Amino acid sequence: SISANVGLYSDYIFRGYTQTENDPALQGGFDVEHSSGFYIGTWASNVDWVKVADLQKSNSLEIDVYGGFAFSLADVDLDIGLLQFWYPGSNKAGAAEADATEIYAGAGYDFGFASASVYYYHVLSTDAWGFSDADGSEYWTLDVDIPVGSTPLTVSAHVGNQEIDGSSGCDYTDWKANLDYAFNDNYSIGAFYTDTDMEDSCWTSNNGTKLGDAVGGAYISASF
């Protein structure tokens, strides 16, 4: 099967911190899934942090490419894969790479009244998101989705913990609450609130924006 998605967001928040310095983002992607469980996909969004962080002279785009295998064991849904983050552009001399490569593994379970999933991400690339010697960095995440009765509303909660190898002062925890209203199987709107415990000394942009500050936002999305 082939599916596609597109969304307009008031802010692009990745693991708790803004990728667009609190400006809007247009995002979308495509996925191809085989009945065996294997899948591949790509996803893209506008960003500005790579240029603001002085890693590249010019960059306004993130492209992700991923592939993996999803299967079920008893009532537990399992997923393993490889994820490549790519920021097109020429790196400045001496700057760490913005691009990053991760492997991931996850497990999910549907309790009926709610569904939950746990994922683990592990950096394989030497550099990642402007951090040098970041291979071995880890990110854990727990997500819970709770449908509100028979209404089109779904309440979601997220908590994640990021550890940057070689930069322990930059480790942090992020959390998020989300409310989604589905018009049908294709279209939805939503609102979210997210925050972190990031250290400002490590997570402040060259423009003075505190990247992990609490922020609320909204979105409209479609999937086909």
Side-chain angles (χ1 to χ4, degrees):
S1 63
I2 299 175
S3 60
N5 62 86
V6 64
L8 178 62
Y9 290 76
S10 60
D11 196 350
Y12 172 17
I13 304 295
F14 172 70
R15 297 181 182 174
Y17 65 99
T18 177
Q19 305 290 285
T20 52
E21 292 207 287
N22 304 126
D23 286 335
L26 179 62
Q27 307 174 345
F30 296 91
D31 295 277
V32 178
E33 301 177 25
H34 190 265
S35 57
S36 63
F38 286 101
Y39 63 87
I40 58 173
T42 185
W43 181 90
S45 175
N46 61 290
V47 296
D48 66 3
W49 74 268
V50 180
K51 183 178 178 181
V52 171
D54 207 29
L55 300 179
Q56 296 179 355
K57 293 181 179 179
S58 178
N59 173 274
S60 60
L61 183 64
E62 172 189 334
I63 300 174
D64 301 342
V65 179
Y66 49 87
F69 180 63
F71 59 102
S72 295
L73 187 61
D75 293 328
V76 179
D77 296 325
L78 302 174
D79 181 22
I80 55 174
L82 178 69
L83 171 58
Q84 175 66 47
F85 299 85
W86 180 43
Y87 304 90
S90 300
N91 219 51
K92 286 192 173 182
E97 292 287 340
D99 298 347
T101 307
E102 289 185 321
I103 56 172
Y104 59 87
Y109 187 81
D110 191 340
F111 295 91
F113 66 92
S115 59
S117 64
V118 177
Y119 268 81
Y120 169 73
Y121 299 82
H122 185 94
V123 173
L124 299 178
S125 53
T126 301
D127 297 346
W129 303 295
F131 291 95
S132 58
D133 299 321
D135 51 310
S137 299
E138 300 176 322
Y139 184 69
W140 288 90
T141 178
L142 168 65
D143 292 274
V144 178
D145 297 321
I146 306 173
V148 182
S150 59
T151 73
L153 290 172
T154 300
V155 176
S156 302
H158 157 92
V159 62
N161 182 258
Q162 178 76 69
E163 296 183 1
I164 306 293
D165 197 60
S167 301
S168 59
C170 297
D171 297 348
Y172 67 91
T173 298
D174 70 282
W175 52 92
K176 178 182 179 181
N178 193 93
L179 181 64
D180 187 271
Y181 181 93
F183 293 102
N184 49 43
D185 291 338
N186 302 110
Y187 301 98
S188 68
I189 59 173
F192 61 87
Y193 179 84
T194 183
D195 197 3
T196 76
D197 63 357
M198 287 179 173
E199 292 291 336
D200 293 342
S201 58
C202 188
W203 297 95
T204 300
S205 77
N206 291 352
N207 289 344
T209 301
K210 295 179 180 180
L211 302 177
D213 268 359
V215 62
Y219 62 88
I220 181 170
S221 64
S223 59
F224 307 94

